[in-house]
Amino acid sequence: MFEEMRQSLVSVMSKIFETMFFLDIEPQEMGKVPGSPVALLPNPPGVGDQSGGFIRSSIRFEGPRSGMISLILPAVLAQLMAKNFLGLEEEEASESQTCDMARELANIISGNLLPVLDRKGSYSLSLPKTEPSAYPGLNHPGSRSGCAVDLDVEGHWVQLSIFFDE
Amino acid sequence: MAYHLLIVDDSPTMRKVIRKTVTLSGVELDECWEAGDGREALEILRCHPIDLILTDINMPRLNGLEMLKEMQKEQRWRKIPVVLITSQDNHEHFRETAAWGVKGYLQKPFHPETLRDLLSRMEEEKRV
């Protein structure tokens, strides 16, 4: 069950990153703590440039099961993705463009992921939120049901997680 | 046919990308307006002649479905073709809204060709 969910997360991320950003992702073996709250390691694996901190974008879903889907991206990678997505040539993506892209990405991932995990269920999504932070922090503390995948995206550590309310 | 297009999405990034995708797909635009939610979209509809709407569903203030319901109250807006561009794979939405001028449904992310094919099909149906 856990492995199936993990595969679904990887497959949805792969499809979206390839279609939207022409980026390949490589799943890592970390972040897998079945049956317990997921606490990220002090030093996220597959390290890339973390100098700008991280951006976490999250979205709540309500339906047959409720919970939270979160995506954590290094700010450096998020800014590069926003720049490419918007087709900016000379200029860098601004902070607001970067956060907007991260929110939309969480929205698209959630919309694609939930029907894969539950074909018959109908879910409503909240508006996505972003929070920049120096450190990724805990993932949905208190929840014991869910899954997180760590991914290598062009040498940067990225994490996607889904956690269900108790 | 050159469209007077209205793009409705709460994400400025997505609006920009959708506009670019429309251009890349070879669709001719006469004018293109953008709105960040359903309320802004209705304001634009009041002032400009729009003949195609590409709209998201999940938006603050007035979402895409609420906007479509409002559009049904105005005779002149009822026949404007609408394409839903949304992250959720929810065909129920499309079935529910077919009577409200919704001609197509695209799930994000999508390729420019998919949008081009959908618009070509819509033009063909209109001719028939």
Side-chain angles (χ1 to χ4, degrees):
Chain A
M1 179 70 184
F2 179 85
E3 192 49 39
E4 206 175 299
M5 195 184 289
R6 186 177 183 277
Q7 283 303 322
S8 299
L9 265 67
V10 171
S11 144
V12 166
M13 278 287 274
S14 244
K15 178 185 128 189
I16 291 170
F17 270 61
E18 198 185 313
T19 311
M20 289 176 71
F21 307 103
F22 307 103
L23 288 174
D24 289 327
I25 63 165
E26 192 64 43
Q28 306 294 298
E29 281 304 313
M30 304 298 292
K32 183 170 143 184
V33 191
S36 68
V38 168
L40 292 170
L41 299 174
N43 295 303
V47 285
D49 183 353
Q50 298 172 18
S51 56
F54 296 86
I55 294 176
R56 175 202 290 265
S57 52
S58 312
I59 191 161
R60 270 201 65 76
F61 57 91
E62 306 282 342
R65 296 186 80 180
S66 302
M68 176 91 82
I69 293 171
S70 296
L71 177 72
I72 303 172
L73 299 162
V76 171
L77 176 66
Q79 194 185 26
L80 190 66
M81 286 165 66
K83 180 179 171 159
N84 292 342
F85 191 52
L86 285 161
L88 305 176
E89 288 172 9
E90 299 295 317
E91 57 188 309
E92 295 299 319
S94 67
E95 192 180 331
S96 84
Q97 286 172 324
T98 302
C99 287
D100 186 43
M101 182 281 302
R103 277 192 295 273
E104 191 57 30
L105 184 54
N107 187 33
I108 293 173
I109 289 169
S110 305
N112 281 265
L113 179 63
L114 291 167
V116 173
L117 297 177
D118 178 5
R119 282 186 193 163
K120 290 180 183 166
S122 179
Y123 290 86
S124 63
L125 299 176
S126 71
L127 295 170
K129 289 179 183 167
T130 48
E131 41 176 315
S133 65
Y135 178 72
L138 284 176
N139 233 330
H140 209 41
S143 173
R144 291 180 177 275
S145 164
C147 177
V149 285
D150 292 294
L151 305 154
D152 183 326
V153 181
E154 304 278 314
H156 294 275
W157 171 86
V158 170
Q159 187 182 69
L160 175 67
S161 64
I162 177 166
F163 282 93
F164 300 98
D165 296 341
E166 292 296 299
Chain B
M1 175 183 175
Y3 286 99
H4 291 82
L5 173 68
L6 171 59
I7 298 170
V8 192
D9 198 306
D10 57 330
S11 159
T13 302
M14 269 323 288
R15 293 201 301 270
K16 190 170 176 183
V17 169
I18 291 171
R19 184 194 275 242
K20 202 169 154 189
T21 306
V22 170
T23 312
L24 277 176
S25 69
V27 172
E28 210 179 318
L29 292 183
D30 197 343
E31 289 200 70
C32 181
W33 286 272
E34 293 183 13
D37 58 49
R39 272 196 214 169
E40 276 181 34
L42 294 176
E43 285 303 314
I44 291 170
L45 281 168
R46 279 186 192 104
C47 309
H48 302 283
I50 301 293
D51 48 32
L52 175 64
I53 299 175
L54 305 180
T55 184
D56 188 13
I57 293 179
N58 193 16
M59 294 182 289
R61 302 209 304 164
L62 194 71
N63 71 35
L65 298 178
E66 290 163 341
M67 178 188 81
L68 289 172
K69 277 185 199 165
E70 286 300 310
M71 284 174 60
Q72 292 308 298
K73 295 177 186 168
E74 285 275 345
Q75 179 74 30
R76 64 193 164 126
W77 295 343
R78 280 184 207 157
K79 287 192 178 170
I80 301 175
V82 178
V83 174
L84 299 178
I85 299 183
T86 175
S87 68
Q88 284 183 276
D89 179 18
N90 192 338
H91 287 273
E92 265 175 43
H93 279 156
F94 184 44
R95 275 197 295 274
E96 280 170 17
T97 54
W100 301 345
V102 174
K103 300 289 183 199
Y105 170 94
L106 284 182
Q107 190 185 11
K108 298 174 192 170
F110 60 89
H111 292 286
E113 304 81 50
T114 316
L115 178 62
R116 186 194 57 209
D117 292 348
L118 176 61
L119 295 179
S120 303
R121 205 183 68 223
M122 283 165 57
E123 279 195 50
E124 189 60 32
E125 280 171 10
K126 204 173 168 184
R127 272 199 293 273
V128 169

